[in-house]
Amino acid sequence: MAHLESRKHISPDSGFPVTLHPAFNPKIKNHVPPEPLREPFVPDKDRASFADPEKKALFSVARRVDLTESLGTLLENVQLSQLNEQQLDELALLVAERGVLFFRNQDLTTEQQVKLFEHYGVLDKHPAQKDQRHVIIRGSTENHREIGKYTPWPSGEWHADTSFEINPPSYSMLRMEEHPPVGGDTAWASTSNVSQYGLYDALSDAMKRFVDGLHAVHTSRYQYDTILDLWGVGPNRPPIDTHHPAVRTHPVTGLKALNVNTGFVAGFAELNKTESDKLLDFFAYHLHSADDHYVRWKWEVGSVAMWDNRCSVHRVIPGQYKQPRRGIRTTVFGEKPFLDPQSESRNQRLEREQKQQESESATDSKAGTGVADVAA
Ligand SMILES: [Fe+2]
């Protein structure tokens, strides 16, 4: 709050700025990002594609406790620092299938976390990140409803990490080094996974077809303005607006996932402004009423979460705690989001497989009758 210089420049009765006009805040106007925009690239094949589907190496040590039907699994009896490459591949596959994995009492150091995450690809550098290899996450004790009057980025909202990038992150890992005894939880919601249907399958078929044809405008513009003012740090790169498919195909599970979040999506490229605003309103409701696709995690020092940004969204629950909260996050770049028109949602896949099974068992029983006739 103390850093919100805009408050001095906006009259309380002048209405809310949709975007912050540079003249309101000289910090925004005067900032020259030191780095250019990032170039698109094709990352190496996802490590999860190399995993044993049964994950025998991982489950030879780890005990699995699913926290909800939809997403979120606690892995017990395992130290991330001890996993070999085969187990790390299986870990990635389990993350892709369950959205987010949790661990307690980990002995992982920052160095080890960075090294572990390099197994999954090229490490991301957050626009506000000083260290090339990790970013420090502190949580939020701001009244995010109140600061929304003065600054455009909804910082407490649902998001997939830096989803505005041309190559948005695939996997993220957050390890907590300092944490208050209560407050500062993080929540995840499933946009699609193999365990239970997520936010994409929760749409009607007609809505699915409509959204399949749209591109969501993921922007860093709001965050750019806000972090300059609220966090007092200069973003490394200029703001970017990227049109990503509103529904994307997960490269490992092959499933369609909703690719809309309220933290970074400003609208839909194919729609008029009013249509776009109303649809975004609907998705805000869809995300915030997703209790059946939701898990909330209470952190302790030494807790770790690893999630897949392509099939889940998350948000920190704002609070008023006084003790420090400090986590180390590592993230790797994923593929440029794509929609394979042949891909299915999780429920569509189940229905197809069920029909296939039914027709196979019908054929079998016919064949069976034939054999019985002969035998008789
Ligand atoms: Fe995040």
Side-chain angles (χ1 to χ4, degrees):
M1 190 70 71
H3 299 296
L4 269 175
E5 198 175 315
S6 318
R7 286 165 65 99
K8 295 184 219 150
H9 306 285
I10 300 172
S11 152
D13 55 7
S14 67
F16 304 160
V18 173
T19 54
L20 216 53
H21 191 280
F24 284 132
N25 186 335
K27 280 188 212 161
I28 295 165
K29 193 174 73 176
N30 296 339
H31 180 65
V32 180
E35 293 172 20
L37 286 172
R38 242 196 227 106
E39 295 295 323
F41 78 106
V42 179
D44 287 343
K45 200 168 174 194
D46 197 297
R47 291 307 312 175
S49 334
F50 299 94
D52 160 21
E54 290 176 34
K55 310 169 198 69
K56 288 191 279 293
L58 180 64
F59 289 129
S60 70
V61 288
R63 199 174 78 86
R64 167 185 180 155
V65 183
D66 289 346
L67 300 184
T68 73
E69 283 182 79
S70 181
L71 85 166
T73 292
L74 175 66
L75 283 187
E76 295 180 329
N77 201 35
V78 63
Q79 284 294 337
L80 287 160
S81 60
Q82 303 301 313
L83 296 182
N84 61 32
E85 296 202 345
Q86 191 186 349
Q87 290 168 319
L88 289 178
D89 289 349
E90 294 175 7
L91 196 69
L93 181 58
L94 190 61
V95 175
E97 290 174 355
R98 292 290 299 159
V100 55
L101 301 181
F102 301 108
F103 308 82
R104 296 260 185 223
N105 302 315
Q106 295 296 301
D107 61 11
L108 204 64
T109 62
T110 299
E111 279 303 307
Q112 286 172 322
Q113 182 180 343
V114 166
K115 198 161 169 285
L116 184 155
F117 238 61
E118 279 172 342
H119 178 71
Y120 296 119
V122 178
L123 289 176
D124 178 18
K125 186 178 179 187
H126 190 275
Q129 191 171 339
K130 291 202 176 64
D131 190 306
Q132 177 77 36
R133 303 166 314 156
H134 69 264
V135 63
I136 295 173
I137 302 288
R138 296 195 187 275
S140 169
T141 51
E142 304 284 353
N143 180 344
H144 68 281
R145 296 181 179 87
E146 202 271 334
I147 63 173
K149 292 194 291 191
Y150 301 98
T151 191
W153 181 43
S155 54
E157 270 297 336
W158 290 106
H159 64 281
D161 286 330
T162 57
S163 65
F164 46 78
E165 302 283 11
I166 299 169
N167 286 91
S170 48
Y171 303 107
S172 295
M173 177 176 277
L174 179 59
R175 180 177 54 87
M176 214 45 83
E177 290 196 337
E178 283 184 282
H179 207 270
V182 65
D185 296 357
T186 305
W188 281 261
S190 168
T191 54
S192 159
N193 73 47
V194 299
S195 305
Q196 201 205 36
Y197 68 96
L199 287 165
Y200 178 70
D201 256 326
L203 302 170
S204 65
D205 287 345
M207 189 68 165
K208 283 193 191 94
R209 286 193 292 274
F210 173 53
V211 182
D212 277 359
L214 299 179
H215 286 80
V217 182
H218 291 249
T219 184
S220 68
R221 205 171 289 279
Y222 298 152
Q223 189 196 49
Y224 180 93
D225 289 4
T226 299
I227 60 180
L228 265 162
D229 195 359
L230 183 66
W231 298 359
V233 280
N236 299 320
R237 304 189 295 277
I240 182 171
D241 305 314
T242 312
H243 293 189
H244 286 310
V247 176
R248 69 187 292 185
T249 304
H250 193 289
V252 178
T253 65
L255 293 175
K256 283 181 179 176
L258 187 66
N259 189 30
V260 177
N261 67 66
T262 38
F264 294 122
V265 172
F268 298 90
E270 291 82 359
L271 302 184
N272 289 336
K273 178 78 167 71
T274 42
E275 296 166 342
S276 173
D277 286 352
K278 293 298 175 196
L279 186 60
L280 208 52
D281 266 356
F282 162 73
F283 278 118
Y285 178 80
H286 194 55
L287 282 158
H288 281 276
S289 61
D291 295 4
D292 47 348
H293 309 292
Y294 171 99
V295 66
R296 178 167 168 162
W297 173 245
K298 181 174 167 59
W299 295 97
E300 293 168 358
V301 172
S303 300
V304 173
M306 178 174 169
W307 63 94
D308 187 334
N309 288 290
R310 300 165 298 188
C311 61
S312 69
V313 288
H314 60 277
R315 69 185 287 247
V316 66
I317 309 296
Q320 298 179 338
Y321 48 90
K322 300 284 178 272
Q323 300 90 339
R325 180 185 191 270
R326 188 168 55 90
I328 305 294
R329 195 187 82 193
T330 43
T331 305
V332 285
F333 292 117
E335 74 285 354
K336 190 176 180 306
F338 64 95
L339 174 62
D340 174 357
Q342 301 304 318
S343 60
E344 303 160 299
S345 74
R346 184 261 192 188
N347 279 5
Q348 287 164 347
R349 179 181 288 178
L350 277 188
E351 277 165 32
R352 178 178 54 77
E353 285 172 351
Q354 225 159 12
K355 272 187 199 150
Q356 219 168 330
Q357 258 174 6
E358 278 165 17
S359 80
E360 274 167 19
S361 61
T363 318
D364 282 356
S365 67
K366 263 189 197 164
T369 315
V371 171
D373 285 344
V374 172

